[in-house]
Amino acid sequence: MKKMMTALSATALLALAACGNGESEAGSDSKGDIVVGGKNFTEQYVLAKITSIYLQENGYNVEEAVNMGSEVVREALENEQVDLYWEYTGTALVNYLGQEPLSEDEEAYEVVKDMDLEENQIVWLDMADVNNTYTLMMRQEDSDKMGIHSMTDLASFINENPDELTFASDAEFATRSDGLPGAEEHYGFEFGSNNVNRMDAGLTYQALRDGDVAVSMGFATDSRIKGFDLLNLEDDEDFFPAYNGAVTVREEILEEHPELEELLQPLAKSIDTETMTEMNYQVDIEQRNESEVAREWLVENGLINKE
């Protein structure tokens, strides 16, 4: 099953990898070639840039293959087209390992770390203290007006007013068992099919801010929640699992470059939810370039030298 990457996604990946990222000029004394993968949203662009720049500054010849959906980048790792990328514990636990969601971060990490190594020869390096779990959001003013501050409140309101609220979701959240279907089942409510508007994940925040929908999915570390005066509804029954980030790398790559495990430790130890949210804010709200934000963070934390 894990080798079933489609011809289309493989072609797209190779095209992306071939483009490189301008960070791959380590020269003839390079420690080796590393392909850094990444998903298709701001936090992943920033994490991929941080990792790429950091590895390049430490002597590796780096290529990037980013802007992929979760399933595609995971398949790319398994099919040896990507060497490493940042993954989230909750995503691996539910989507790749077929386990029930876990809300406790250390427990989730230990389960995916052991299972992924044993079943897929994928190594999870140190877990970062950044939890990019799913969230349901409303505009602050609507939340106050309707008395909806938690997901239990939302369920009660929808059950009493089944056609009143519209919802914005990306395609992945709309179908994942730890996404909308699971939340609806757990809390006992359901948006009508005509009330769910599917769109790119990056557009859901704008749709909510502009009043095109009443409720939207989002990611807890996304800075637009603060920037657009949105409210994270309290997950008062801890439905959404922990989504702590960690670098995942194929075992054979780590055997070829055993120094990577220790080299990448400072990244995991230095990135937490607050700093990740701030970097996301600089890209999404202040419209700064991901490379600039990533390099600045690495310099500020003493991980690379200032140019």
Side-chain angles (χ1 to χ4, degrees):
M1 181 179 72
K2 66 182 181 180
K3 300 297 183 184
M4 292 177 59
M5 187 174 191
T6 66
L8 177 61
S9 59
T11 302
L13 171 63
L14 290 173
L16 285 166
C19 290
N21 68 337
E23 309 285 357
S24 56
E25 303 297 334
S28 59
D29 58 347
S30 169
K31 293 180 180 176
D33 298 333
I34 298 291
V35 180
V36 175
K39 305 186 186 186
N40 52 359
F41 52 92
T42 298
E43 182 166 305
Q44 283 278 318
Y45 297 139
V46 173
L47 289 172
K49 280 296 179 188
I50 285 174
T51 308
S52 296
I53 294 170
Y54 181 69
L55 290 175
Q56 187 203 12
E57 293 289 332
N58 279 279
Y60 294 87
N61 188 28
V62 178
E63 291 282 352
E64 282 186 15
V66 297
N67 196 30
M68 291 182 277
S70 292
E71 298 287 342
V72 176
V73 70
R74 168 70 179 206
E75 289 172 351
L77 182 70
E78 295 178 349
N79 284 283
E80 304 179 7
Q81 292 170 297
V82 160
D83 294 325
L84 56 86
Y85 77 98
W86 284 79
E87 185 53 273
Y88 301 97
T89 53
T91 303
L93 192 69
V94 175
N95 287 26
Y96 312 143
L97 300 172
Q99 301 299 301
E100 292 296 319
L102 294 171
S103 58
E104 203 284 313
D105 56 1
E106 286 289 347
E107 181 183 9
Y109 172 71
E110 291 300 330
V111 171
V112 297
K113 181 181 178 181
D114 292 345
M115 288 190 67
D116 233 359
L117 180 60
E118 181 177 347
E119 296 184 6
N120 304 304
Q121 296 74 57
I122 291 175
V123 179
W124 283 69
L125 302 186
D126 290 352
M127 181 179 73
D129 189 20
V130 52
N131 186 3
N132 189 13
T133 188
Y134 280 121
T135 183
L136 298 190
M137 310 173 295
M138 294 184 70
R139 290 182 294 278
Q140 183 72 57
E141 58 180 318
D142 288 346
S143 169
D144 293 339
K145 184 167 62 179
M146 298 178 186
I148 302 174
H149 303 289
S150 69
M151 291 177 63
T152 295
D153 294 337
L154 177 68
S156 297
F157 188 93
I158 290 175
N159 288 331
E160 294 173 4
N161 308 272
D163 296 321
E164 186 166 335
L165 300 183
T166 52
F167 184 73
S169 175
D170 69 2
E172 192 169 318
F173 184 79
T175 58
R176 288 172 59 135
S177 61
D178 58 339
L180 181 60
E184 289 177 325
E185 180 179 359
H186 182 87
Y187 281 97
F189 70 96
E190 185 175 2
F191 284 104
S193 58
N194 293 331
N195 288 41
V196 177
N197 300 305
R198 297 193 185 192
M199 60 189 73
D200 183 88
L203 299 178
T204 60
Y205 302 87
Q206 295 177 21
L208 182 59
R209 178 197 62 184
D210 296 342
D212 296 331
V213 295
V215 188
S216 172
M217 56 79 66
F219 299 99
T221 56
D222 197 299
S223 60
R224 286 169 291 187
I225 295 170
K226 177 183 176 182
F228 294 169
D229 195 25
L230 307 178
L231 174 74
N232 282 330
L233 298 181
E234 181 187 359
D235 180 13
D236 49 326
E237 295 184 8
D238 295 326
F239 166 72
F240 290 125
Y243 283 86
N244 287 80
V247 172
T248 56
V249 55
R250 295 199 315 276
E251 187 176 26
E252 64 179 307
I253 294 298
L254 208 53
E255 289 173 352
E256 184 179 345
H257 301 285
E259 74 282 0
L260 283 175
E261 184 166 10
E262 182 175 351
L263 179 64
L264 291 169
Q265 280 181 346
L267 299 186
K269 290 181 178 179
S270 302
I271 298 175
D272 59 19
T273 297
E274 183 179 356
T275 57
M276 194 72 249
T277 302
E278 174 58 29
M279 288 190 282
N280 291 340
Y281 184 91
Q282 292 180 37
V283 174
D284 285 329
I285 305 300
E286 297 180 350
Q287 299 291 300
R288 297 185 66 198
N289 179 274
E290 298 106 30
S291 292
E292 180 181 274
V293 172
R295 182 172 290 278
E296 184 175 277
W297 181 84
L298 286 163
V299 171
E300 288 175 352
N301 284 273
L303 297 172
I304 64 172
N305 295 321
K306 187 175 182 180
E307 287 185 330

